[in-house]
Amino acid sequence: MSEGRDADAISRLQDFLRDSPTPWHATRNMAARLESAGFQRLEEIRDWALTPGGRYYVTRNDSSIIAFQLPAASLASLRMIGAHTDSPGLHVKPNATEHAAGWLQLGVQVYGGALLAPWFDRDLGLAGRVHVRHADGRLESRLMNVDRPVATIPNLAIHLDREANKGRAINPQTQMAPVLMQGESATLTSLVQTWLAREHGLKDVEVVDFELAFYDVQPPALVGVEQELVASARLDNLLSCFMGVEALLECDGEQGALLVANDHEEVGSASACGAQGPFLGDVLRRLNEQVGGGTEASLIQLIQSSCMISCDNAHALHPNFMDKHDANHGPAINQGPVIKINASQRYATNSATGALFRDVCRDADVPVQAFVTRADMGCGSTIGPITATEVGVPTLDVGVPQWAMHSIRETAGARDIHHLTRALRTFLDRPSLSLTR
């Protein structure tokens, strides 16, 4: 891409990150982008009428999305990209209202493997999904986004804890309840009703249930003397969602292409809309029935003729913690996408899928790196091994290198975003998924 197109992509990324504080908002924004490009929305509870060359998307739980481009010819294989819409953070408890020292606070539970210390002294907004009951008894779901600083988690002064800089443990039950307002009359329910009225004009509704989370309202930014870094909340893994959509919209459409972005990866993927659930398998079966061979055998043939690139960010070599990396496998920021490899199958890459991606990067004129965790350290995982296990599709794990994974604010390389997007687009355009040409 030209420098102008690169800058436009970074601007779109910043807008997407800022406007997607929760998986529901991210899914809604991805769907809107797809619809503006001509993708048609499908409903799982309806019959589908798919046509060759068509472009479609479907959501589940409003927090996971699958979009696909059908070839004009028969569907023999799919080039798949996988990502996830959720990020670690602080979720509000059902009976969250607390009062202490004359202040309204909300009890929270930790979602995923969040790095807790950076949450202190941040300007926090509140967002999520709320279910309300209207006066006529009708239930309705609405997204809510209070995108201004309405809460903070104040640190304890160093004068009151002289050992704070020596590794103090953080108790999320007793030390991390955000402070919202002075006084003891307000409740979470009354505040939500006020915010719904302001955002949606909803009045005289009863708040029945909700799923809400705090987030940092500091907007994304380009950082560094040369602006070579992107800093934002939720780079893991909205960055991969963004690059997947960009690649899908830029591909030539001649091959079968599919993007899946699952919720709940950060807590194990075990849900109806998670990678361990049946969402992708359900869609593949319906594709096979309508535009494939229509038999169980043809479904297996379709899956085994396809390939998935699971995109989830990788740990970049940290200049202050060089000893946390294997000396030969420390990916550098802005030096290209990273192939993630683990002998214990925490990543799904094998030599065949890894070779395919290296070949794709060569065709795209993109540098490529490899990551293997130190042999004396544990290794995280992704939707890659789970999808490979549930669906059976040949899979590899890749991602852009980043710092501060699972922090409230993470950092990645601006050039790497262009690198991986270009590689993904080349993968989607690839005429053959075989290494034999």
Side-chain angles (χ1 to χ4, degrees):
M1 291 190 292
S2 67
E3 289 188 7
R5 290 184 63 190
D6 288 352
D8 289 344
I10 292 297
S11 178
R12 288 194 298 273
L13 170 64
Q14 291 177 296
D15 289 343
F16 176 63
L17 292 168
R18 184 184 61 251
D19 296 339
S20 303
T22 73
W24 300 285
H25 290 85
T27 298
R28 182 186 66 181
N29 293 331
M30 294 169 70
R33 180 96 189 274
L34 291 165
E35 283 194 5
S36 69
F39 280 72
Q40 300 177 49
R41 183 182 182 96
L42 301 171
E43 301 291 345
E44 287 197 277
I45 61 174
R46 309 291 185 192
D47 290 335
W48 292 0
L50 307 179
T51 59
R55 297 190 291 178
Y56 307 92
Y57 78 92
V58 59
T59 66
R60 181 174 288 188
N61 188 48
D62 296 327
S63 63
S64 295
I65 187 168
I66 294 176
F68 52 91
Q69 161 80 56
L70 298 177
S74 61
L75 181 64
S77 63
L78 283 165
R79 290 123 188 86
M80 304 187 201
I81 298 171
H84 65 86
T85 58
D86 61 322
S87 303
L90 301 181
H91 286 209
V92 177
K93 293 180 178 179
N95 300 318
T97 302
E98 300 176 2
H99 294 97
W103 290 90
L104 169 67
Q105 297 177 272
L106 296 182
V108 294
Q109 53 184 333
V110 179
Y111 179 88
L115 195 62
L116 296 180
W119 280 82
F120 287 89
D121 304 321
R122 294 278 184 166
D123 297 337
L124 301 180
L126 188 67
R129 180 169 68 170
V130 182
H131 292 266
V132 299
R133 180 183 290 112
H134 291 267
D136 60 4
R138 176 172 48 92
L139 290 174
E140 183 182 16
S141 171
R142 286 294 185 103
L143 298 189
M144 187 184 81
N145 182 13
V146 187
D147 58 352
R148 61 185 178 86
V150 293
T152 188
I153 307 172
N155 239 315
L156 184 65
I158 188 69
H159 314 77
L160 304 179
D161 184 2
R162 296 291 184 179
E163 303 299 310
N165 290 330
K166 297 182 180 180
R168 183 188 70 190
I170 298 172
N171 187 322
Q173 173 67 27
T174 61
Q175 299 173 336
M176 294 198 69
V179 175
L180 279 80
M181 65 182 297
Q182 199 163 22
E184 299 188 355
S185 59
T187 65
L188 174 58
T189 299
S190 64
L191 289 176
V192 169
Q193 289 173 327
T194 299
W195 290 327
L196 286 174
R198 290 177 180 174
E199 184 173 356
H200 297 295
L202 292 177
K203 298 179 180 179
D204 299 322
V205 294
E206 175 189 356
V207 176
V208 179
D209 212 339
F210 57 80
E211 294 168 273
L212 299 174
F214 287 101
Y215 72 97
D216 186 3
V217 298
Q218 182 180 1
L222 291 174
V223 176
V225 174
E226 302 293 335
Q227 294 192 320
E228 58 265 72
L229 299 172
V230 176
S232 176
R234 302 176 300 282
L235 290 183
D236 176 18
N237 191 30
L238 293 187
L239 184 49
S240 297
C241 294
F242 173 81
M243 292 184 293
V245 170
E246 290 277 304
L248 185 60
L249 296 182
E250 292 175 5
C251 74
D252 59 23
E254 294 183 8
Q255 315 300 327
L258 181 147
L259 168 67
V260 54
N262 292 112
D263 195 1
H264 299 141
E265 188 275 344
E266 297 293 358
V267 291
S269 295
S271 70
C273 58
Q276 194 175 336
F279 188 25
L280 178 58
D282 289 347
V283 170
L284 293 178
R285 279 190 295 274
R286 295 182 79 160
L287 289 181
N288 178 61
E289 290 170 0
Q290 291 214 11
V291 292
T295 67
E296 185 67 23
S298 66
L299 176 61
I300 295 173
Q301 291 167 355
L302 171 63
I303 291 172
Q304 292 308 310
S305 299
S306 302
C307 182
M308 168 171 279
I309 296 180
S310 165
C311 292
D312 206 343
N313 299 352
H315 299 294
L317 186 64
H318 197 303
N320 296 336
F321 299 93
M322 301 279 285
D323 61 331
K324 295 298 183 180
H325 281 271
D326 182 301
N328 294 324
H329 301 91
I333 280 181
N334 282 324
Q335 297 302 308
V338 180
I339 301 174
K340 301 159 73 170
I341 304 159
N342 182 261
S344 299
Q345 296 299 296
R346 300 292 289 170
Y347 303 131
T349 311
N350 58 33
S351 59
T353 56
L356 175 64
F357 188 72
R358 290 181 185 278
D359 206 46
V360 165
C361 289
R362 186 193 67 172
D363 290 346
D365 193 24
V366 165
V368 64
Q369 309 179 79
F371 171 77
V372 179
T373 192
R374 287 176 56 105
D376 55 359
M377 294 176 62
C379 181
S381 192
T382 69
I383 69 166
I386 296 171
T387 302
T389 299
E390 294 295 324
V391 177
V393 62
T395 304
L396 74 150
D397 276 289
V398 308
V400 298
Q402 72 157 86
W403 292 324
M405 189 175 292
H406 289 194
S407 177
I408 196 172
R409 194 166 180 86
E410 303 165 317
T411 306
R415 290 194 295 274
D416 284 327
I417 297 165
H418 310 310
H419 287 149
L420 185 49
T421 302
R422 188 159 63 246
L424 293 175
R425 186 182 71 245
T426 301
F427 168 69
L428 295 181
D429 289 344
R430 189 178 176 93
S432 172
L433 294 177
S434 171
L435 289 174
T436 301
R437 301 193 179 188

